[in-house]
Amino acid sequence: MSVLTFSGPRLTTRRLTLAAMLCGLQVILGKMAIGDPSLLKVGLGFIATALIGYCLGPWIGGGVMIVNDIISNTILNTGNMFFPGFTLSAFISGVLAGMFLYGQTVSWQRIFCYEFVQILVSNVLLTTLWIYIMSLSAGSNSRTFNALLMLRLPKEVISWPIQSLIILLVLRAFSKTNLTQRL
């Protein structure tokens, strides 16, 4: 068993169907959130992201996350502006989930490490950067980026163990179904 998985399964009709169902689950769980999406948003989409990576691997998972982002921010838009940077972040989230979780044994060490990298790269760095770039027309400067980072960082530090524990429980229960062996 390797530390990270860079390969994924072949795309079959069953996996494509599973990808569509998990994309739908991601859309639904992603919409179940509270808070301002441009600053602090707390939701349940991280559960579906982990399931997508666990079942579909890094590359199909990244593709599913792109489709999810496009559906969520164009067809089912709730007033937020579409920004391609968030689509890139979604792809990276799917790839990271697949790299850490696909074909791996579910352990608390792996889940905590995955969530740390996921939160650091996608939520802390990239999302803060995209929000900062979107606010540049309002006269933002480097202090604005640092202030935004300091505003977002405590939420991410608090959510890391909570999300890790939830993902651990969900993936342990899901791994007992042996669904991935039947694909």
Side-chain angles (χ1 to χ4, degrees):
M1 200 165 315
S2 64
V3 175
L4 297 176
T5 305
F6 292 100
S7 62
R10 289 185 20 188
L11 189 60
T12 62
T13 306
R14 285 183 181 199
R15 283 197 188 94
L16 186 61
T17 304
L18 179 62
M21 292 187 325
L22 288 173
C23 184
L25 180 66
Q26 175 72 28
V27 169
I28 292 167
L29 290 177
K31 294 295 179 184
M32 295 175 67
I34 58 171
D36 183 15
S38 63
L39 290 176
L40 294 173
K41 180 175 130 179
V42 178
L44 300 174
F46 67 93
I47 298 170
T49 303
L51 280 171
I52 287 168
Y54 181 77
C55 294
L56 301 172
W59 309 113
I60 298 174
V64 169
M65 293 299 291
I66 288 173
V67 170
N68 164 65
D69 187 70
I70 292 171
I71 289 171
S72 295
N73 293 312
T74 56
I75 298 171
L76 300 174
N77 192 354
T78 57
N80 301 327
M81 186 172 81
F82 177 77
F83 184 71
F86 291 116
T87 306
L88 176 63
S89 293
F91 174 75
I92 291 171
S93 293
V95 169
L96 285 174
M99 285 171 52
F100 276 91
L101 302 175
Y102 179 72
Q104 304 293 334
T105 304
V106 177
S107 67
W108 70 267
Q109 297 96 334
R110 178 167 294 281
I111 301 299
F112 272 74
C113 187
Y114 153 69
E115 258 313 291
F116 177 77
V117 173
Q118 172 78 11
I119 286 173
L120 179 68
V121 171
S122 182
N123 297 2
V124 173
L125 297 177
L126 291 178
T127 300
T128 306
L129 177 64
W130 305 141
I131 294 170
Y132 171 72
I133 288 173
M134 290 172 54
S135 70
L136 280 178
S137 62
S140 298
N141 56 30
S142 62
R143 282 192 242 155
T144 309
F145 179 81
N146 292 336
L148 189 58
L149 185 62
M150 290 302 119
L151 179 69
R152 295 177 47 79
L153 196 56
K155 177 255 182 190
E156 301 301 340
V157 169
I158 292 168
S159 68
W160 172 40
I162 297 168
Q163 288 182 5
S164 298
L165 181 62
I166 292 170
I167 289 173
L168 180 65
L169 294 173
V170 168
L171 288 183
R172 279 200 176 154
F174 188 80
S175 66
K176 291 178 183 174
T177 65
N178 294 325
L179 178 67
T180 54
Q181 281 79 27
R182 288 184 255 161
L183 293 175

